[in-house]
Amino acid sequence: MNDVFPKRGSHDPALLNLHELDRYERAQIPAGPPPKQDPLKRVLNFQEVFLGYDEEQAVVEAARCIHCPSPEPCILGCPLHNDIPTAMLLIEERRFAEAADVFRATSNMPEVCGRICPQEILCEGSCTVAGYDRAVNIGKLEAYCTDWQRHHKGLPHYQIAPPSGRRVAIVGSGPAGMSAAEELMRDGHEIVVYEEWPKPGGLNVYGIPGFKLIKQIIAEKVTWLEQYGVQFICNTRVGTDIALQTLLDEYDAVFLGIGAPIGNKAKLPGEDLKGVYQATEFLVRANLPLEDLPARMRARPEIAKHMAVIGGGDTSMDCVRSSIRLQRQSGMNDGVVTDYYRRTEHEMPGRAEERMHAKQEGVQFEFLVAPVAFHGDEAGHVRELELQRMALGAPDASGRRSPQPVEGSNFRVPADVVVLALGYSPDPEIGNTMPNLEKGWKGLFKVETEFTGATNIPGLYAAGDDVRGADLVVTAVAAARHAARAMDKYLRALETPPKHERVALKTDTSLLVPAE
Ligand code: SF4
């Protein structure tokens, strides 16, 4: 694992002091949190909150790594098993591009993971230095060195395996789809990616706001993949515009990386009133250039004095933080944005860092309340949110104490815009068009194991949120990489000629679901 581990003292003499530090001295270096935009300024834009380390800050922060003996806890804590200690030493030695290559050896999206992984429960949650001060800022250093490489050298050039003659269709260009595309492209296969949104990127572009992840990173990755021959076909929904069976007929293998994109409904009276949004639609309309949206969504969401978001995960924080930006940018400085959650802050599933950012930006929180109904005016527009107070009962299946309604505690609050951020479910459409494809809980695709991603249909693989349910980018990347290895093995074992040499390319329209 540590073949490229630099020899101590063999590099820049200016680093001698850092190299001479023993473990105890390294752990005494104070943590250096990366600078952020001031809350009062950042609510006026959708640019990244974190400004990133400068070179000196990155070098000193990386020197806080004490290089634990193997097995290093941070490597075990990372779902991709990135070789973090080696990367930390390379950053300390100002060998930033080499450090980036260490992350890229095991990750297709280090810039993304470095920014949005919940590091406090993954790599940094396992970091020994946390026992002295704060864990090494691994995620921010991952982002620093990979950004540095893109800005100074561009994305690296890889040796690609000789063309295999096999074609693979990838459905979805989010974290799983794009990772599988990159891995299989490097294996020498011809890759075509189908994406239903107007631009490639999936969740990374259409799900994560720009103040957490700058979209340019994904645009550069797409251009880089296209240079290697990966083809992206956008505005094409598999199951509606082209049947999954058609892809199976025309390609030697198909990968499903469609995520879990359907927002859960509240199933409450008044949910269909104007001004009540699902989180995804609200976020894309708030965050993206309108030309990057489908024609039916090309308008900003409403901005109102009282904006309410319901939910306790990271998506709800994305929604409240987008709402307050919309208000402040429109000059509505007395606007109120409130997040309503049915448990206490302690049970909230989203990242503490996101909540802290939301509070700094002026978002209000009301805990132990659950929506009961949405009330509208004569024009059918939501104007009030009816809530019921909750008390915490015994732990439920998730291990968190379950909210219990308090009888007679209903009350109403003004709400001219309500955003529902109640979690996500898989999209049943593709599965419905292929009844013999085995599915499990809530319609998630059943696979042999996460280490192969093989469905019950030969040549059809799946990984990411469409297998696990809504989860992290990093777990989707990890599962897609495993599936790509299994797909490459499958493709190389095929004895039949490539399918595109055997079939006429045509779409069987009888297998399509009519567009709404
Ligand atoms: Fe940490 Fe995520 Fe990067 Fe792994 S991928 S090192 S968990 S930030």
Side-chain angles (χ1 to χ4, degrees), residues 77-80 82 84 103 113-114 117 119 122-123 138-139 142 474:
C78 169
L80 290 163
N82 289 336
I84 296 159
F103 283 113
C113 292
C117 269
Q119 288 99 8
L122 300 173
C123 54
I138 296 166
E142 181 176 2
V474 67

Side-chain angles (χ1 to χ4, degrees), residues 136-198:
V136 176
N137 270 294
I138 296 166
K140 299 297 181 290
L141 289 168
E142 181 176 2
Y144 175 80
C145 66
T146 48
D147 286 350
W148 188 98
Q149 184 184 47
R150 282 186 302 106
H151 295 153
H152 291 83
K153 313 240 175 205
L155 284 163
H157 291 288
Y158 289 131
Q159 189 76 33
I160 305 298
S164 68
R166 299 288 174 183
R167 294 174 81 221
V168 178
I170 306 277
V171 184
S173 63
M178 213 177 286
S179 300
E182 179 179 347
E183 291 301 297
L184 290 162
M185 171 274 285
R186 292 179 66 176
D187 290 333
H189 308 299
E190 190 183 330
I191 308 297
V192 180
V193 182
Y194 291 85
E195 170 57 55
E196 69 170 300
W197 291 95

Side-chain angles (χ1 to χ4, degrees), residues 253-257 447 452-455 457-463 483 486-487 490-491:
V254 177
F255 174 86
L256 298 174
V447 296
T452 68
T455 71
I457 295 177
L460 181 59
Y461 292 76
M487 291 176 78
Y490 167 84
L491 289 162

